[in-house]
Amino acid sequence: MSTDADGPSRSTLRTEGFLGAEELAAARSGITSFVRERVERAGADGVVVGLSGGVDSTLSAMLAVEALGSDRVVGLSMPCHKTDRPDSNEARTIAEGLGIEFEEVSLRPLLDQFEETAADALAATDGRGTPDAAGPEDQRDATRYAVGNAVARMRMLSLYYAANARSLLVLGTANRTELLTGYFTKHGDGGADLFPLGGLYKTEVRALARRVGVPSRIVAKASTAGFWAGQTDVDELGARYADVDALLHRVFDRARPVEAAVEGLEVDRATADDLLERCTDTWHKRRAPPIYRVGRRPAETDRRRDPTGAEAVPNIRETPWSGTDAGADADPLDGHGLDRDGLFQILCDERRRAILSVLYRRGGGIAVPDLVGALVEASGDEPVSPRHRQQVATALVHVHLPRLAGADLIDYDRRERTVRLTDAADRLEPLVAPLLA
């Protein structure tokens, strides 16, 4: 059995519920169709992809070539440090093998100029022009991350310049693991026109890469964000991708409690909590900035949904209750039968948050067909087909409503096909409602 530098042996893929051979083949076909459709819909001439020499960018480029042809894909390597040279050479080799146009742009002069003219002036200070009062090690770490994020944004600046100049779309290379944990730079590698691999965990990216024919040396290479020499994803995340992916899959896809999700993994409870808090603390990276809504004007551009399903559930397990009404000092979960971990699991699911949001807004009962309509309308999905409505209704009736009813948050009358909030949910509104906005 082969084991990647930060991944599992192949035999563990199916036992953890990751995509098998047939599902990977279907994903490959679906991704190529997705890329082709998005480029055609945008009226673009093709795509530009940042090639780092790693498995994500290599697989993204290969699938783009399958979708569009080699003449409509541009590979761009953007080294910044001396240690980037081997990866840049690898990127060039991959581009030549795919027969795509390849350009290399060194970001070192740009970073040097930025640090000389802006970085020092904009560094954290105590308000009097002196370095921040934080310890020197903390300050060095903060500066190192700030510079790393600046380089990531310079890369995206270069990609979008090429895209604008040539009528291309920027093909992002982030996977589901990175998107869920927020392990990307906001407006850096998190800025793209589409993410073909965004629905695949890193473990599945490696498995699909093998099937597509990505060289084994690239598939097995230790992953890094490239912020500085020697940095690795394993060090940053605190665990191997095999365990990180299994944890995220169990919590977000299977709705398992955290204590059950860590069983059999090389991840202790503290590390698991840290990873899940990454998911909730970084929700702002995955959605558009909030918009102040004037009067009754619809905020069409306010896309509040998190595409990963791990939207705003900020630290609810540790959030103290601060009642505003007289006598409201007690935690509203007291006597409910649902602890904070349980409430966290409920609110991790985007659809259940949407259901509660509709019910809190309406204030009374609602018929299931009307609830389906409200959810479809709120999702902003287009076009809305009868089949899509039926899928929403099926998941609602068989999965989400029973789960909410079992948590004593709703009364679900199957015979009358109506739903309403319970008294317990009313008591929880001050704690829950702010997380649903």
Side-chain angles (χ1 to χ4, degrees):
M1 296 297 172
S2 67
T3 301
D4 298 325
D6 49 16
S9 63
R10 300 182 195 185
S11 62
T12 64
L13 294 178
R14 291 303 294 149
T15 58
E16 276 304 335
F18 296 123
L19 301 185
E22 292 184 2
E23 295 161 312
L24 286 171
R28 177 180 183 176
S29 175
I31 289 170
T32 54
S33 295
F34 168 77
V35 171
R36 191 180 307 113
E37 175 189 336
R38 289 291 168 173
V39 170
E40 290 175 356
R41 183 184 298 184
D45 292 337
V47 298
V48 57
V49 57
L51 291 177
S52 67
V55 64
D56 298 290
S57 65
T58 301
L59 178 60
S60 296
M62 293 180 75
L63 294 176
V65 170
E66 283 190 18
L68 305 170
S70 59
D71 60 327
R72 301 180 67 191
V73 179
V74 176
L76 183 57
S77 175
M78 296 157 284
C80 187
H81 310 290
K82 289 183 179 179
T83 52
D84 294 339
R85 176 50 50 193
D87 292 330
S88 185
N89 291 339
E90 185 80 86
R92 181 181 296 276
T93 300
I94 291 297
E96 290 174 351
L98 292 174
I100 64 175
E101 180 183 347
F102 178 80
E103 302 292 343
E104 180 179 310
V105 176
S106 174
L107 297 181
R108 187 73 236 181
L110 184 59
L111 178 60
D112 289 342
Q113 187 69 20
F114 174 78
E115 289 185 310
E116 180 181 338
T117 59
D120 288 342
L122 300 177
T125 67
D126 61 6
R128 297 187 297 276
T130 59
D132 194 280
E137 289 189 10
D138 292 339
Q139 188 61 45
R140 278 197 297 271
D141 284 345
T143 299
R144 186 163 61 164
Y145 278 105
V147 171
N149 282 317
V151 172
R153 293 179 179 120
M154 290 174 190
R155 291 191 173 111
M156 197 50 59
L157 171 69
S158 302
L159 286 165
Y160 268 100
Y161 182 88
N164 293 161
R166 303 182 182 210
S167 187
L168 305 173
L169 295 185
V170 173
L171 193 79
T173 63
N175 55 62
R176 178 166 171 79
T177 309
E178 293 167 338
L179 293 175
L180 272 173
T181 57
Y183 191 55
F184 60 89
T185 296
K186 190 174 185 178
H187 307 311
D189 50 329
D193 294 311
L194 65 163
F195 287 115
L197 306 183
L200 299 177
Y201 289 105
K202 182 76 171 195
T203 304
E204 295 166 331
V205 168
R206 292 191 185 281
L208 180 57
R210 290 191 194 94
R211 291 184 61 87
V212 171
V214 173
S216 58
R217 68 180 183 278
I218 294 178
V219 176
K221 187 188 298 184
S223 299
T224 174
F227 272 19
W228 55 81
Q231 184 209 23
T232 66
D233 293 359
V234 172
D235 291 337
E236 290 293 307
L237 296 174
R240 295 189 317 148
Y241 273 115
D243 297 303
V244 174
D245 288 349
L247 174 69
L248 298 177
H249 173 67
R250 293 173 182 182
V251 171
F252 290 105
D253 301 341
R254 293 185 172 181
R256 294 176 64 178
V258 182
E259 61 271 14
V262 298
E263 291 180 3
L265 301 181
E266 294 180 16
V267 176
D268 58 30
R269 179 58 189 268
T271 302
D273 284 341
D274 286 343
L275 285 166
L276 294 175
E277 284 174 13
R278 274 180 175 267
C279 300
T280 57
D281 289 347
T282 57
W283 63 269
H284 64 92
K285 290 186 174 185
R286 299 184 293 268
R287 56 187 258 182
I291 296 173
Y292 172 68
R293 184 170 176 172
V294 177
R296 299 178 63 85
R297 296 175 185 172
E300 288 89 353
T301 57
D302 185 7
R303 295 308 300 263
R304 294 177 292 180
R305 297 176 62 210
D306 178 344
T308 65
E311 201 176 342
V313 196
N315 298 325
I316 191 169
R317 287 169 294 176
E318 291 81 26
T319 301
W321 163 247
S322 56
T324 54
D325 299 332
D329 295 328
D331 191 315
L333 282 169
D334 288 346
H336 181 80
L338 187 70
D339 61 14
R340 286 174 186 266
D341 232 19
L343 188 57
F344 175 81
Q345 294 298 322
I346 292 289
L347 295 181
C348 269
D349 186 273
E350 178 187 7
R351 186 66 77 187
R352 289 194 286 272
R353 293 197 302 274
I355 293 168
L356 291 175
S357 181
V358 169
L359 293 174
Y360 277 126
R361 280 202 312 271
R362 300 230 173 178
I366 184 174
V368 170
D370 293 337
L371 179 58
V372 171
L375 293 174
V376 170
E377 180 181 356
S379 73
D381 293 335
E382 54 176 327
V384 178
S385 66
R387 181 181 180 185
H388 177 63
R389 282 182 178 270
Q390 184 58 47
Q391 289 173 337
V392 173
T394 299
L396 200 69
V397 169
H398 295 291
V399 179
H400 301 301
L401 295 183
R403 183 78 189 274
L404 290 168
D408 193 28
L409 293 173
I410 64 167
D411 286 323
Y412 173 32
D413 190 325
R414 293 175 181 270
R415 189 169 184 176
E416 297 294 329
R417 291 175 57 79
T418 59
V419 181
R420 67 176 59 250
L421 292 169
T422 62
D423 292 340
D426 286 336
R427 291 194 301 273
L428 288 173
E429 182 175 6
L431 181 65
V432 173
L435 307 180
L436 307 177

